[in-house]
Amino acid sequence: MVVTKPQIVRWLEKVAAVLDENKEYLTQLDSAIGDADHGINMSRGFGKVMEKLPGVADKDIGNILKTTGMTLISSVGGASGPLYGTFFMRSGMAMAAKEELSDQDLYQLLKAGVDGIVQRGRAQPGDKTMYDAWLPALEAMKNKLEDGADLLAALKTAVAAAEQGMKNTIPMQAKKGRASYLGERSIGHQDPGATSSYLILNALLETLQEQ
Amino acid sequence: MKKLINAVEDVVREQLEGMALAHPDLLKVHFDPNFVYRADAPVKGKVALVSGGGSGHEPMHGGFVGMGMLDAACPGEVFTSPTPDQMYEAAKTVNSGEGVLFIVKNYTGDVLNFETAAELAHADGIAVQSILIDDDVAVKDSLYTAGRRGVGTTVLAEKIVGGAAEAGYSLKQCADLCRKVNQYGRSMGMALTSCTVPAAGKPTFELGEDEMEIGIGIHGEPGRTRMKLKTADEITEILALGIIEDGPYTRTVREWDNEKGEWVDVELTDEPFKPGDQVIAFVNSMGGTPVSELYAVYRKLAQICEAKGLTIVRNLIGPYITSLEMQGCSITLLKTDEEILRFWDAPVKTPGLRWGI
C-alpha cells in the first residue's frame, strides 16, 4: 500500500491526541520510577508540534518529520525530548523529499528513527527503556514484510510486539536514566518511555486502518 | 504547599526577571529561549563557559554568571533539564570566537540535551567542548546505572575553570582543567526533609520525622540508605568517610571531538584521596539548612580531614547548590594542586560568588 502525506500528518495529530489522553497515565507511570513529568512533557511537546504542522503541511514528508523532531527537541526537555526529537529528525532525514511512502519506506522511517534513539541514548535491550518496545516491533515488522505480508498486517504484528515489549519492561531492572538509581526498586514498574513508544506506533496503525 | 510564588507556571520566568533587575551590572536575561548571560558578553579573546540544568538549585547556575565564572547559564523548568535551543542560542551569544565549553552535570536529561546542542553549535561553526561532572559517590557503580550524578564539584569547577578562561586558557586547556577538577572532586549529600516541586504541589518523597536519607541526589533521587536521625558529628562522619574512603572510580564518558565532529568514548579513572593531599572543603546547604548548622558540620569535617592526613587549604560554606527548600547538606572535597589553587583564588564577580576585587 501507499502511505500518503495526509496520512503522516494525521498520524502526528493522532499521536498528539493520544498522548494528551494518556497524560495522567504516563505521568503516573513516571512517578513510580522517574520524576513524574513524562506525560506532561510529551503532551506539551506534541501540542507545540500541532502549532507548527499547518506551516509545513504542504512540504515533503521528510520535512514534516524533521520539523516535528526539531519542535520536540526544543519543547519537551528531560531525556524524552532529545530521544523522541532525534527519532523524528532521523526518520525525516531518511524520508527526505518523499511525497508518499511504500511499505519498505515506512519500515525504513521507523528503523532510522529507532537507530537515532539508540545512538543518542546508548540503550541496550533489557535496560528498561523505550528501545525495549521498539526493537521487537521492528524485528516483527521486518520479518512479516519479508514473508510477503502487506503493510497493515506487518504493522499489526509490530504493534503487538511493541505492546508485549512494553509489558516485558515490568520485571526489568532499569539500567539507564533516573530510574537506574533505584536499583532493584525499579523492578515491578512498567517503563513510561516504552509505553509512550507503544502508543506512538499504535497511533500509526490506527491511522492507516482508517478509510 | 506553602511557597512565595504567584503562579506555578510563572516561577522560573519571574525568578529570571528578578535576577535581571537585581544585577544589571553583571548579567542579562534572554527569554524564549531562556538563558542568563554576562552583561559584557561576548568577552573578546576569552573562551566562553556555558552551563545549565533544571531550576531549583540556586544560586547554581544563573547566580554564577559573571566575571571569573560562567558566561551563560541555561535554566530549565524546576528540576527539568533545559532544551538544546537554549544552550545553542546561549553559545552563539557568548562565543567570542575562542570557542565554548559546556559544563554538564551527569543526569540523563542534561547530557542528552547538551549533546544535541553541541551538535547544533558545531554545525554552525562554533568550536565546542563538553565536560561531564559526575562526582556523587553515593552512586556506587556505573555499569548498572546512569553513573555518578553531578553535584558539589560543579560549583568548584565553574569557579576554577572560569578563572582559567579569564586568564587566557584555550578551549582545550579549559576542557582539560575541567576534566581534572571533576576527577579530583568527590561529594556526598544527605536530606533531613524532602522538597516540593511547585508544579507537583506535594513533597518529592516521604521521610519520617525521625528519619534521614544518606546519599540523596539534588532532585531527591534515592541515596544509599535511609536511617534514624543521628547527631551532626555522626552524619558528618558518614558523609566524610564515604568520600575519603571511596576507592578508584572507572567509567566511560562521551566527549565531543571538535576536530572530527563526533562523539568519542573516553575511559576515566578517578584515584582515591591519600594522606598528604591538599583539599578544598565545601560544605553546602540543600536550601533549608541554616549556615549555623553547616559550621557544626565543618567543625567535624576539619577534625576528620586532619585525622586522615588531608590538609584543608581553602573552604566554601553556604547554600550554593540547593534542592529548593530541602533540609540537609552535602560535603565536597576537591584535591588541589598549584594550578587549581591559583584559579580558585583568582578574582570572581557574580551574584553568588564574589572575591578578589
Side-chain angles (χ1 to χ4, degrees), chain B residues 167-189:
Chain B
Y169 265 38
S170 69
L171 178 58
K172 182 178 182 304
Q173 287 174 313
C174 285
D176 289 344
L177 176 60
C178 194
R179 192 187 303 103
K180 179 171 88 172
V181 169
N182 179 47
Q183 291 199 260
Y184 280 9
R186 282 177 157 91
S187 303
M188 188 143 94

Side-chain angles (χ1 to χ4, degrees), chain A residues 35 37 41 70 73-79 82-83 86 90 119-122 173-178 180-182 185, chain B residues 79-81 83-85 106 108-109 111-113 115-116 119 139 144-149 219-223 254 263:
Chain A
D35 49 2
D37 61 3
N41 289 346
M70 275 309 285
I73 282 176
S74 63
S75 63
V76 176
L83 290 170
T86 302
R90 294 293 172 84
Q119 210 175 36
R120 176 68 66 216
R122 285 152 272 181
Q173 177 173 334
K175 297 192 189 69
K176 285 280 183 295
R178 195 183 199 272
S180 67
Y181 298 123
L182 288 165
R185 283 181 279 173
Chain B
F79 289 7
T80 298
S81 76
T83 52
D85 52 327
N106 189 30
T108 306
V111 171
L112 298 187
N113 282 287
E115 283 185 2
T116 309
E119 292 168 17
V139 181
Y144 300 109
T145 69
R148 289 186 170 175
R149 302 174 287 238
H219 311 92
E221 298 94 331
R254 238 185 199 188
W263 294 99

Side-chain angles (χ1 to χ4, degrees), chain B residues 135-264:
Chain B
D135 61 317
D136 187 350
V137 302
V139 181
K140 283 185 174 162
D141 77 85
S142 65
L143 205 53
Y144 300 109
T145 69
R148 289 186 170 175
R149 302 174 287 238
V151 285
T153 300
T154 315
V155 177
L156 309 182
E158 289 175 1
K159 166 67 191 82
I160 291 158
V161 184
E166 214 69 55
Y169 265 38
S170 69
L171 178 58
K172 182 178 182 304
Q173 287 174 313
C174 285
D176 289 344
L177 176 60
C178 194
R179 192 187 303 103
K180 179 171 88 172
V181 169
N182 179 47
Q183 291 199 260
Y184 280 9
R186 282 177 157 91
S187 303
M188 188 143 94
M190 57 82 58
L192 298 166
T193 62
S194 181
C195 54
T196 298
V197 175
K202 54 179 194 292
T204 303
F205 57 95
E206 297 295 333
L207 204 52
E209 187 57 30
D210 59 344
E211 285 182 321
M212 60 177 179
E213 177 93 14
I214 297 288
I216 194 86
I218 55 170
H219 311 92
E221 298 94 331
R224 282 186 182 178
T225 49
R226 183 166 291 195
M227 56 172 79
K228 291 282 178 212
L229 193 57
K230 291 179 185 287
T231 64
D233 281 0
E234 288 168 326
I235 292 168
T236 306
E237 192 167 324
I238 293 171
L239 298 182
L241 295 184
I243 293 166
I244 295 169
E245 293 176 354
D246 185 50
Y249 176 62
T250 301
R251 74 288 194 194
T252 302
V253 300
R254 238 185 199 188
E255 290 188 8
W256 180 251
D257 185 325
N258 194 39
E259 316 258 293
K260 290 187 190 143
E262 62 185 29
W263 294 99
V264 288

